[in-house]
Amino acid sequence: DDAKPTNFLRGIIERDLLEGRYRGRTFGGSPGDGAHHAKGVADPARVRLRFPPEPNGYLHVGHAKSICLNFGLARDYGGVCHMRFDDTNPEKEEQEYVDAILDAVRWLGWSWDAHGTSHLYYASNYFDFMYRAAEYLIETGHAYVDEQTPEQMRANRGDFATPGTDSPYRNRPREESLARFREMRDGLHADGAMVLRAKIDMASPNINLRDPAIYRIKHATHHNTGDRWCIYPMYAYAHPIEDALENITHSICTLEFEDQRPFYDWVLERIVPILRAPQYEAGRKLVEAIEAQGLEAGKEFALHCHNLAHKLFGSEPEQRMLSMFRRWEHDREAVLKDLPAFFGLLRQHPEQFTPLLAHALEERRIEPYNLPHQYEFARLNLTYVITSKRKLKQLVDEGVVDGWDDPRMPTIVGLRRRGYTPEAIQLFCERIGVSKSDSWIDYGTLDIALRDDLEGKAARAMAVLDPVKLRLTNWAEVFGSEAHREPCAAPAHPHRPELGQRSFSLGPELWIEREDFAEVPPKGFFRLYPGNKVRLKYGYVIECTGCEKNAVGEVTAVLATVLPDTKSGTPGADAIKVKGVITWVAAHEALAAEVRLYDRLFTDPHPDAGGKDFKASLNPHSKRVIQAFIEPSLAQVEPDEKFQFERHGYFCTDRIDHTAGQPVFNRITGLKDSWAR
Ligand code: ATP
Ligand code: MG
Ligand code: MG
């Protein structure tokens, strides 16, 4: 029943594959096989996608949707998905976030270390090319340096009802813009003094096309490029270039970017001549060959180039390439580690590889790539949840939660710590599908996926979360001694006998749930009240005889007698019919455990919709820590193990705080949906 539902993106990809739109030309084949290569050998058509987070925070469940979508489409259509950091904005980006993001994507089940499936890239490795493309735009009359103040620029942009006003700098000579742009690069101007803008149309009804900024001055240290740059490209300009340099076929993003698509295309169309310069094509083809077919194919191609060019590898990058191919034989790990930096170099400085690659490209008549195309899908909106890194960061910074991995957080690390499994999150993402219109997904959908995943996997156990003593007053009479212990057993999993049995024992004193006793039973109450019989799960039938109370009238112990010959699994056990079965843990062997009961973080199903103050609807009861008793079979469990506590729901030992000596469990979710209240 979990057959992959089709969606509009699958439709587009299938059409494109059918039309051979992304068919490449291979470098493969034996060297010297000239005729073969002159025509070009059709590659299997290949979709190329990417997941491009900005390393400015931890990933959340919304990103999981995008991750599963992009990596999943690549897997399903035999393509590739690049793990790419969109790290073009130095101020908010940090190595901590880079590491956390890689960890989260890996944990969700995707990888980029393996050959041919995915590779890791950093947009900041393309800064040289982006700069070069910007100069090219200036040279061809498509960009200018604007020296208006930010206030003037804002005022002159107009709004939805009013067209913008041209900047007085708009028609300055190209040489002047170029000189200014180089001064910007060389650090001669302060932040905000001027910007490079695309020259499009100040009257466009699409405000994104009113001469958008493409480069700005920012004297800031970048986590990857350090202080090498003091100008940085704007996202809307950088993104299409990143996609094109990586030969992305389908650039999938969320609906907010729909109005940016014309600019995405505008940029690429303008820079086609340099994107398609033979050496760039060849560089990208080489990278693709290595990505798709492993280093062997790249090596073959490089050696072919080498032969063609009738010369040794001369330039520094060429030598580096050669040494890489040599090391490949005996030190694959190290070579694989070097690849991203090498690819970055190749992508943005292919001229250093000429005439080698250009020559080879011509020889093989490799066709240029089609330009990438942007498609938009509806972002994930989950009820009771905030999916904005900025707002989540606020909760962390202000101490509202205990960190990015607080089990109440919708971050991947938070979900993981809470006990959600990668399989459950993947299942959830498959089930919600993708569409072109925004909607809200009920949080319960995620929990249903979790239960569907854990139902068959999680071992069962008994735990008493709100304990009150139960005393079996006729124990010695029935079993001969107060010290007698009656062994009991239960399956680790009701439908998986191969997981074996858990064993525990019954004694005269037990812990039971406080709510399982009522001195005066409400209507329809089948559990303990004076005169009523219930079964102790996996044990005996008992009959309640009363209770003990303290001075303020609280029940301190429930009293009952045990009925001989009624033990579960023994002949005649069913002779006495009861309507209630209760869970328990024997006092003599119960383990004390800290249990953290989590509830939704917000009381409003749409905490930040329509610009609402999301902190106004924080749920004051989102975390409750209790002391519980758990059955002895849980004495040695490792951190991050999942269980179903019978009747209570799914629980997980805390990844960070749990030890066998001091058990800590998190409630992942209950057994039934409680979200759609
Ligand atoms: P945030 O606003 O939370 O910072 P973002 O979109 O700015 O999110 P990015 O790091 O740029 O964060 O996101 C990486 C990718 O994840 C983008 O392609 C983006 O479209 C996608 N993404 C982000 N949030 C969601 C969401 N709620 N649902 C689906 N995809 C999302
Ligand atoms: Mg973003
Ligand atoms: Mg954002």
Side-chain angles (χ1 to χ4, degrees):
D1 49 300
D2 279 315
K4 306 239 156 53
T6 192
N7 60 51
F8 75 99
L9 288 170
R10 289 179 178 274
I12 289 166
I13 288 175
E14 282 164 21
R15 179 204 65 198
D16 290 348
L17 289 177
L18 207 68
E19 292 176 2
R21 193 171 296 214
Y22 296 102
R23 202 175 295 273
R25 290 286 181 273
T26 187
F27 307 124
S30 46
D33 186 1
H36 183 60
H37 288 120
K39 286 204 195 77
V41 179
D43 255 351
R46 205 174 241 289
V47 289
R48 306 167 69 83
L49 307 132
R50 84 285 174 268
F51 172 65
E54 184 180 354
N56 62 352
Y58 282 64
L59 297 184
H60 52 62
V61 62
H63 294 111
K65 176 177 179 180
S66 176
I67 293 166
C68 293
L69 176 66
N70 283 292
F71 282 90
L73 287 171
R75 174 199 57 203
D76 294 348
Y77 292 104
V80 293
C81 179
H82 292 176
M83 173 70 221
R84 180 210 301 156
F85 283 104
D86 205 327
D87 57 351
T88 54
N89 181 9
E91 275 157 349
K92 296 185 192 134
E93 297 166 2
E94 286 173 34
Q95 188 62 37
E96 175 197 348
Y97 299 137
V98 169
D99 297 338
I101 288 172
L102 293 178
D103 212 44
V105 181
R106 230 181 260 126
W107 176 75
L108 276 175
W110 309 100
S111 66
W112 45 88
D113 309 312
H115 304 254
T117 52
S118 172
H119 291 257
L120 170 62
Y121 293 107
Y122 293 86
S124 55
N125 282 339
Y126 312 141
F127 280 161
D128 284 299
F129 184 88
M130 290 171 188
Y131 177 82
R132 194 184 131 84
E135 283 206 351
Y136 180 80
L137 287 177
I138 299 172
E139 285 161 7
T140 50
H142 295 301
Y144 62 99
V145 171
D146 192 351
E147 297 178 48
Q148 294 183 100
T149 64
E151 295 71 37
Q152 286 169 327
M153 262 182 256
R154 209 168 303 126
N156 289 339
R157 189 166 295 132
D159 56 32
F160 286 104
T162 332
T165 313
D166 285 0
S167 161
Y169 298 93
R170 197 171 195 266
N171 293 314
R172 73 196 309 179
R174 294 170 193 186
E175 303 69 46
E176 210 176 288
S177 277
L178 197 57
R180 279 280 182 277
F181 187 49
R182 289 179 176 164
E183 288 170 18
M184 283 167 64
R185 175 197 62 191
D186 295 340
L188 302 185
H189 299 287
D191 289 9
M194 50 190 75
V195 293
L196 182 67
R197 296 178 76 174
K199 191 170 175 180
I200 309 180
D201 178 7
M202 288 305 291
S204 172
N206 182 344
I207 293 182
N208 296 298
L209 294 181
R210 293 186 187 171
D211 291 10
I214 61 183
Y215 258 99
R216 73 210 136 149
I217 304 170
K218 241 182 220 269
H219 292 268
T221 304
H222 186 280
H223 77 100
N224 184 25
T225 56
D227 292 324
R228 201 168 146 234
W229 295 93
C230 61
I231 55 171
Y232 290 93
M234 303 299 286
Y235 171 85
Y237 166 75
H239 202 80
I241 295 182
E242 294 158 26
D243 286 345
L245 287 180
E246 294 179 14
N247 300 320
I248 297 303
T249 56
H250 301 78
S251 177
I252 301 173
C253 61
T254 45
L255 282 175
E256 313 91 89
F257 293 96
E258 196 167 359
D259 289 345
Q260 294 279 8
R261 187 170 3 112
F263 184 57
Y264 182 101
D265 293 337
W266 184 95
V267 170
L268 292 184
E269 281 158 20
R270 299 287 163 316
I271 64 168
V272 152
I274 58 169
L275 273 175
R276 295 238 168 108
Q279 67 268 33
Y280 284 99
E281 277 296 325
R284 295 214 296 288
K285 280 288 177 188
L286 174 58
V287 173
E288 192 201 9
I290 296 175
E291 282 173 350
Q293 298 157 40
L295 217 52
E296 289 303 333
K299 177 176 166 182
E300 192 198 317
F301 176 65
L303 294 179
H304 176 75
C305 300
H306 181 53
N307 291 338
L308 278 177
H310 297 298
K311 75 179 195 69
L312 287 171
F313 288 79
S315 70
E316 200 246 295
E318 283 166 0
Q319 296 212 342
R320 189 163 153 194
M321 177 162 74
L322 193 63
S323 100
M324 215 174 61
F325 291 132
R326 288 207 184 103
R327 275 158 56 217
W328 178 241
E329 305 300 335
H330 50 269
D331 196 5
R332 296 187 174 217
E333 283 306 307
V335 172
L336 285 175
K337 242 180 84 196
D338 280 355
L339 272 186
F342 176 70
F343 285 177
L345 189 72
L346 193 55
R347 286 208 154 104
Q348 53 179 350
H349 289 298
E351 68 279 1
Q352 296 190 43
F353 289 87
T354 56
L356 203 79
L357 296 177
H359 205 117
L361 181 77
E362 250 162 57
E363 169 74 4
R364 299 224 173 170
R365 291 173 212 276
I366 293 159
E367 287 158 24
Y369 285 98
N370 284 329
L371 293 175
H373 204 282
Q374 175 182 308
Y375 300 91
E376 305 85 17
F377 73 105
R379 58 184 284 119
L380 170 66
N381 296 311
L382 197 56
T383 56
Y384 299 102
V385 161
I386 278 179
T387 46
S388 151
K389 275 184 282 187
R390 184 176 58 77
K391 291 174 190 164
L392 292 173
K393 185 168 189 308
Q394 217 175 318
L395 295 178
V396 174
D397 291 345
E398 293 172 16
V400 174
V401 294
D402 303 328
W404 286 102
D405 69 345
D406 185 301
R408 290 166 293 180
M409 288 281 272
T411 50
I412 310 280
V413 279
L415 292 169
R416 179 179 182 185
R417 187 160 179 197
R418 174 81 165 256
Y420 286 89
T421 59
E423 293 82 1
I425 296 172
Q426 287 192 21
L427 192 58
F428 166 73
C429 291
E430 265 167 37
R431 286 178 179 170
I432 59 175
V434 286
S435 80
K436 276 203 265 198
S437 55
D438 276 317
S439 65
W440 285 84
I441 303 289
D442 194 285
Y443 193 94
T445 314
L446 179 56
D447 277 352
I448 292 169
L450 179 84
R451 290 188 203 104
D452 286 348
D453 180 45
L454 286 189
E455 157 59 28
K457 288 183 187 167
R460 304 319 199 236
M462 286 202 285
V464 176
L465 302 187
D466 183 15
V468 68
K469 211 38 114 28
L470 170 73
R471 200 167 305 129
L472 299 173
T473 50
N474 64 339
W475 185 265
E477 244 167 82
V478 173
F479 294 107
S481 144
E482 201 64 16
H484 175 78
R485 299 291 176 255
E486 183 65 16
C488 300
H493 191 286
H495 312 301
R496 297 182 57 192
E498 77 278 11
L499 296 183
Q501 297 276 106
R502 29 195 254 264
S503 48
F504 38 89
S505 65
L506 199 55
E509 290 211 336
L510 314 175
W511 294 110
I512 61 166
E513 295 293 343
R514 188 167 284 276
E515 64 168 21
D516 284 350
F517 172 75
E519 216 176 352
V520 182
K523 208 165 168 273
F525 186 83
F526 299 119
R527 287 164 283 167
L528 292 167
Y529 57 89
N532 194 39
K533 298 189 188 74
V534 300
R535 175 172 295 283
L536 294 172
K537 197 163 192 189
Y538 311 117
Y540 285 77
V541 175
I542 59 171
E543 178 170 348
C544 183
T545 55
C547 67
E548 290 171 0
K549 292 193 216 171
N550 63 14
V552 291
E554 285 167 350
V555 174
T556 51
V558 178
L559 306 175
T561 54
V562 56
L563 277 62
D565 304 324
T566 56
K567 191 177 180 185
S568 288
T570 60
D574 295 337
I576 297 174
K577 296 277 178 243
V578 293
K579 280 193 173 164
V581 178
I582 65 169
T583 49
W584 55 277
V585 182
H588 68 268
E589 63 180 18
L591 303 171
E594 176 176 324
V595 173
R596 299 172 180 170
L597 299 174
Y598 294 108
D599 196 357
R600 63 197 69 175
L601 193 49
F602 297 97
T603 52
D604 185 331
H606 312 124
D608 60 345
K612 262 186 274 186
D613 171 18
F614 61 98
K615 282 189 290 176
S617 63
L618 277 167
N619 175 6
H621 310 295
S622 59
K623 177 181 181 182
R624 203 152 60 83
V625 179
I626 58 168
Q627 295 300 318
F629 289 110
I630 58 178
E631 69 169 60
S633 72
L634 299 177
Q636 293 304 329
V637 296
E638 301 285 319
D640 204 23
E641 276 190 57
K642 323 281 187 305
F643 296 91
Q644 187 193 103
F645 287 169
E646 301 193 30
R647 89 188 248 192
H648 288 302
Y650 291 100
F651 291 73
C652 159
T653 42
D654 190 78
R655 285 178 67 209
I656 313 290
D657 298 334
H658 171 86
T659 60
Q662 295 211 300
V664 179
F665 285 82
N666 298 323
R667 181 171 66 194
I668 319 172
T669 186
L671 289 178
K672 289 203 202 74
D673 188 7
S674 62
W675 288 91
R677 277 175 205 166

